[in-house]
Amino acid sequence: MQPAPGTVVRLLRLAGFPILRQLQLEEALLRATQHNWFVMNDGTPQPAIVLGVSGKPHQLVHLEAAAAHGVALIRRFTGGGTVVVDRDTLFTSLIMQHQSLPGVEPYPRPVMRYTEELYGTVFGPHGPFRLRENDYCFGDVKFGGNAQAITKDRWLHHTSLLWDFQEPRMALLKQPDRQPDYRQDRDHLEFVVRLKDRLPCRATLADQLCGGLEAAGFRLQESSLAEAEEALVANKLCGTRQLDWAQVLAEERQRQQQEQQQQEQHLSAATAGASQV
Amino acid sequence: MALASFATKAVSGLGLRCGLPALASRAYATVVDGLKYAKDHEWVKVEGDVATVGITDHAQSELGDVVYAEMPEVGASFSAGDRMAIVESVKAASDIISPVSGEIVAANEELSSDSSKINTDPYGEGWMVKVKLSNPEELKELMSAKEYEEFCA
């Protein structure tokens, strides 16, 4: 699936850009521009836990521990699971107009088939790379999460690539109820792998990713942050926000109280029923 | 799986335009006569000045298993072409585009606890919203069942 010759992808290179701002910017580029974009960000300065659009904090995060760690809690606008990100996470985001790749229908599976092929040219030389139940893996260990947003005839596919990670932070995540079969109930530390253990050089990965896009037939055009941020003014819909820890913890305490009250009511009803017998 | 289940329900007389047996191949999407269809793959059923809106069998099949659906609030107003709702499937948050302009008078609250209805019964229990139309003339822009079938082909 090749684009028409000369199809432009605007390239935005960032480093140490806060993930909250990056996600807000990506959403604006998706919704409020008609251009294709490839955004790369080498690390976010402060650690964060990033939930997908439907993620429930109490189901996915050890809340008290995460709050005590001072890790920001962010809800993003794309689907998918929960990730812990920090300075050693590399982010990429491909934003595409359907007409630029007419052979890729703007639906989740066709988009992921395309990106698997695209990223395969970059990661394939370093191991048994594949998209496995929608995760980027070497064999049966995951090195990158991905998620998508689709609107009309535009789509966005972004990834968080684990160059390295801190095990105590990874342990802040709970085992999700919905998990891929290949995970086989392994906890996070057994299920994910550090890219630094598989790839020779972090600094060259960005160039390799750009090379992958050029090999796929795109013409890359460097863009500045100022140019990209014009989209923020035009965008009216923003599904990305930082959650307030005080509010999240208060809601969780209320939820637990309600759950306990319901359990006590059920127990009372059961006891009353048994005594009548 | 979702398509087979839907096809079984559909045999009970929804006026399907589909020449295939109940266990239909996923290569074909089912279309219901009497509805109007948008290019973004929503269907519209008009009763008086209220339109019921959902997504088509083609759309639910392409999206995959819907694990989350977020409907608009009753009272919200949209123009045709606006994002009206979100569904999540296969790690993707997909916008559902409003095919008509108007005010939301009902939203299918069942979908918040069972979003799979969008897959298993897209033209029935998977309905998403009811809209009081502010510009019924827009309905003329929508496709008939036959036109939508040709559009999807």
Side-chain angles (χ1 to χ4, degrees):
Chain A
M1 284 165 281
Q2 288 268 319
T7 300
V8 169
V9 170
R10 295 185 177 206
L11 176 62
L12 180 63
R13 296 184 194 245
L14 303 168
F17 196 72
I19 185 60
L20 176 64
R21 286 179 61 195
Q22 179 193 329
L23 290 167
Q24 291 168 339
L25 178 59
E26 287 179 8
E27 188 171 8
L29 294 176
L30 171 69
R31 296 192 182 287
T33 80
Q34 297 298 311
H35 305 300
N36 304 320
W37 294 87
F38 188 62
V39 180
M40 294 189 292
N41 183 21
D42 189 338
T44 182
Q46 300 297 330
I49 293 171
V50 185
L51 301 162
V53 68
S54 65
K56 294 186 170 63
H58 73 275
Q59 289 180 349
L60 297 163
V61 182
H62 293 290
L63 294 176
E64 298 277 354
H69 259 75
V71 177
L73 187 62
I74 294 170
R75 181 176 303 288
R76 66 178 189 267
F77 64 103
T78 53
T82 310
V83 292
V84 183
V85 298
D86 58 26
R87 290 179 183 280
D88 291 314
T89 312
L90 310 178
F91 303 96
T92 68
S93 184
L94 181 62
I95 301 168
M96 194 62 59
Q97 186 78 19
H98 168 54
Q99 289 82 351
S100 293
L101 275 176
V104 180
E105 288 301 310
Y107 289 106
R109 287 170 295 206
V111 168
M112 276 200 266
R113 281 196 291 271
Y114 178 76
T115 57
E116 180 186 17
E117 198 178 308
L118 181 69
Y119 287 124
T121 64
V122 177
F123 296 108
H126 303 289
F129 168 80
R130 60 182 284 201
L131 183 70
R132 190 157 186 187
E133 293 179 67
N134 309 318
D135 291 336
Y136 291 128
C137 296
F138 287 124
D140 65 354
V141 285
K142 175 179 170 179
F143 68 82
N146 65 70
Q148 306 178 114
I150 301 169
T151 183
K152 296 187 184 181
D153 56 358
R154 286 176 67 72
W155 53 263
L156 174 149
H157 176 95
H158 62 188
T159 64
S160 54
L161 303 169
L162 301 172
W163 184 261
D164 195 359
F165 57 83
Q166 303 295 318
E167 291 179 8
R169 280 195 206 125
M170 199 61 77
L172 295 175
L173 300 185
K174 293 183 178 179
Q175 288 263 41
D177 287 340
R178 275 197 322 258
Q179 48 179 279
D181 289 340
Y182 82 95
R183 181 168 177 163
Q184 300 194 321
D185 269 330
R186 287 176 284 165
D187 74 21
H188 276 93
L189 299 178
E190 294 172 358
F191 169 58
V192 295
V193 68
R194 295 169 169 88
L195 270 180
K196 70 177 184 128
D197 295 334
R198 301 294 181 107
L199 269 61
C201 180
R202 178 172 176 164
T204 58
L205 182 54
D207 289 336
Q208 290 168 348
L209 289 164
C210 291
L213 277 169
E214 286 171 330
F218 291 106
R219 183 164 70 84
L220 297 183
Q221 183 180 95
E222 295 269 357
S223 184
S224 68
L225 179 58
E227 286 168 339
E229 285 185 328
E230 289 173 6
L232 290 168
V233 177
N235 184 36
K236 303 290 180 251
L237 289 173
C238 186
T240 299
R241 67 189 196 284
Q242 183 161 345
L243 305 183
D244 177 69
W245 269 121
Q247 186 175 347
V248 168
L249 293 172
E251 286 170 357
E252 174 58 5
R253 283 191 288 273
Q254 189 176 32
R255 189 195 66 79
Q256 287 179 356
Q257 282 169 4
Q258 286 170 348
E259 208 170 73
Q260 189 174 4
Q261 282 167 2
Q262 281 170 359
Q263 284 172 357
E264 287 167 359
Q265 281 166 5
H266 286 141
L267 189 58
S268 289
T271 306
S275 65
Q276 281 172 4
V277 172
Chain B
M1 293 296 171
L3 183 57
S5 170
F6 166 68
T8 302
K9 289 185 191 210
V11 165
S12 65
L14 287 175
L16 287 185
R17 184 187 290 275
C18 177
L20 297 172
L23 294 178
S25 159
R26 290 183 80 85
Y28 294 87
T30 310
V31 175
V32 174
D33 281 336
L35 304 182
K36 305 288 275 181
Y37 295 86
K39 289 179 179 173
D40 290 318
H41 305 285
E42 295 86 24
W43 57 264
V44 178
K45 181 178 178 183
V46 182
E47 294 167 301
D49 63 352
V50 175
T52 305
V53 179
I55 64 169
T56 66
D57 184 36
H58 169 86
Q60 71 78 19
S61 175
E62 292 293 335
L63 286 171
D65 291 344
V66 176
V67 297
Y68 170 78
E70 187 177 302
M71 295 298 115
E73 305 248 333
V74 171
S77 290
F78 296 96
S79 298
D82 286 350
R83 183 187 81 176
M84 166 185 82
I86 303 169
V87 295
E88 183 183 0
S89 62
V90 199
K91 302 173 96 176
S94 298
D95 287 352
I96 305 300
I97 306 301
S98 183
V100 292
S101 303
E103 181 185 325
I104 305 294
V105 295
N108 188 350
E109 294 178 7
E110 295 290 315
L111 298 181
S112 61
S113 56
D114 186 5
S115 57
S116 71
K117 291 180 195 290
I118 293 170
N119 294 116
T120 58
D121 194 10
Y123 298 109
E125 290 184 11
W127 70 274
M128 292 186 168
V129 296
K130 294 184 190 288
V131 182
K132 182 163 180 177
L133 297 169
S134 59
N135 185 4
E137 290 293 303
E138 288 171 340
L139 296 171
K140 294 177 184 170
E141 305 297 318
L142 302 178
M143 292 178 273
S144 67
K146 187 172 189 307
E147 288 167 338
Y148 179 65
E149 247 190 329
E150 290 165 3
F151 175 73
C152 290

